[in-house]
Amino acid sequence: MTIEENTKHIMMKVDAAKAVSPYPNQEVTVLAVTKYVDANLAREVVESGISNIAENRVELFLDKYRKLKDFDITWHLIGNLQRRKVKEVINLVDYFHALDSLKLAQEIEKRAEHKIKCFLEVNISGEESKHGFSIRALDQILLEFAQFSKIEIVGLMTMAPFEADEKECAQIFHDLKALQMKISEMKIPNVSCTELSMGMSRDYQVAIQEGATFVRIGHEFFRGIA
Ligand SMILES: *Cc1c(COP(=O)(O)O)cnc(C)c1O
């Protein structure tokens, strides 16, 4: 297996899932999550044609960002961000996928030098151990996001519980899609909410069939390699 072969295989599976989804013309952006590998292997992913790179931790993000700065990459921070680390990283990020509190939004608003595209992380399954807004919490504070001129809420993000089977994943993704459409129709300033970041190596085909527009794929890029 090479990274190039893995990339081809992934793109075929993305196309196959799109074709049988209710949204065959939907654009789906494939993010390569490079947290398991060094910058050399991440570069191979970029050279295989993937231009969206994602990291879940600030240190790993900064390392890849510095080593790959000569490439034309769209950068995604997908993991939870501590407030004290916002200033180190936020202005390097094209998309932040794990906005999970108003306090974090306030810190981003303070530190951002341009408008940052953010996803609200939603904990659809209500698991206590998980990060993200519950549906009810989101309902109560959603209007507050209108006040942040440096944040565009481009969409919603979720992670299905580790132990969820395919059917449960599909239901979670389905519920997130419904919530995204509902919020989008509210026309809240700075909350366009047209996108859905959902699906990882094990469940991205299911996610695409439920309307994902960004899928976050790690392991599958490095199958047989790392
Ligand atoms: C690691 C990670 C992924 C990718 O997971 P894989 O199972 O390796 O595809 C996706 N999203 C987040 C938030 C992650 O931390």
Side-chain angles (χ1 to χ4, degrees):
M1 280 292 191
T2 64
I3 286 183
E4 203 177 340
E5 283 166 350
N6 286 343
T7 298
K8 267 199 195 126
H9 184 69
I10 290 167
M11 297 316 280
M12 273 170 49
K13 282 173 70 179
V14 166
D15 285 343
K18 255 193 340 194
V20 297
S21 84
Y23 321 98
N25 300 320
Q26 182 89 266
E27 197 178 322
V28 177
T29 301
V30 173
L31 316 190
V33 181
T34 52
K35 65 189 180 190
Y36 312 107
V37 301
D38 64 14
N40 285 325
L41 284 180
R43 180 175 42 79
E44 281 190 41
V45 174
V46 175
E47 286 168 347
S48 80
I50 300 293
S51 56
N52 286 269
I53 298 294
E55 284 287 341
N56 69 329
R57 298 183 45 193
V58 171
E59 294 71 25
L60 295 175
F61 179 95
L62 293 174
D63 177 61
K64 299 289 194 322
Y65 184 89
R66 287 179 191 127
K67 290 179 178 158
L68 300 177
K69 66 174 178 317
D70 294 338
F71 293 84
D72 190 9
I73 292 171
T74 302
W75 290 98
H76 301 259
L77 185 62
I78 58 176
N80 297 99
L81 177 60
Q82 290 171 288
R83 270 184 287 157
R84 65 185 170 84
K85 293 195 175 165
V86 167
K87 64 175 182 301
E88 278 179 66
V89 74
I90 202 65
N91 288 300
L92 308 178
V93 167
D94 293 299
Y95 290 88
F96 173 50
H97 292 244
L99 184 51
D100 61 0
S101 76
L102 268 181
K103 286 205 155 132
L104 181 58
Q106 281 156 1
E107 182 65 16
I108 293 173
E109 177 77 7
K110 190 163 131 196
R111 304 290 182 178
E113 289 156 8
H114 55 92
K115 203 155 183 166
I116 313 291
K117 298 187 189 95
C118 296
F119 288 85
L120 294 175
E121 183 170 358
V122 185
N123 177 359
I124 289 273
S125 59
E127 260 188 310
E128 287 206 8
S129 61
K130 278 240 182 305
H131 287 279
F133 294 103
S134 67
I135 294 179
R136 192 179 331 137
L138 197 56
D139 223 28
Q140 281 163 7
I141 60 151
L142 196 55
L143 290 174
E144 308 238 10
F145 286 96
Q147 72 185 284
F148 300 118
S149 62
K150 295 282 179 54
I151 295 175
E152 178 67 26
I153 303 295
V154 295
L156 305 181
M157 177 273 212
T158 202
M159 282 173 86
F162 188 68
E163 63 289 353
D165 63 21
E166 190 175 310
K167 219 174 132 199
E168 288 162 339
C169 288
Q171 185 64 54
I172 287 167
F173 296 150
H174 194 80
D175 291 349
L176 195 71
K177 168 78 184 172
L179 185 62
Q180 172 262 312
M181 287 194 299
K182 188 181 121 189
I183 294 173
S184 164
E185 281 161 16
M186 291 166 76
K187 310 272 183 226
I188 303 166
N190 305 316
V191 185
S192 49
C193 202
T194 53
E195 308 300 320
L196 279 171
S197 169
M198 57 190 196
M200 321 187 352
S201 291
R202 64 176 177 135
D203 55 17
Y204 66 90
Q205 287 192 297
V206 179
I208 290 168
Q209 288 172 38
E210 298 296 340
T213 60
F214 288 76
V215 289
R216 310 178 308 267
I217 303 175
H219 281 111
E220 197 158 315
F221 275 102
F222 306 105
R223 185 161 292 165
I225 292 151

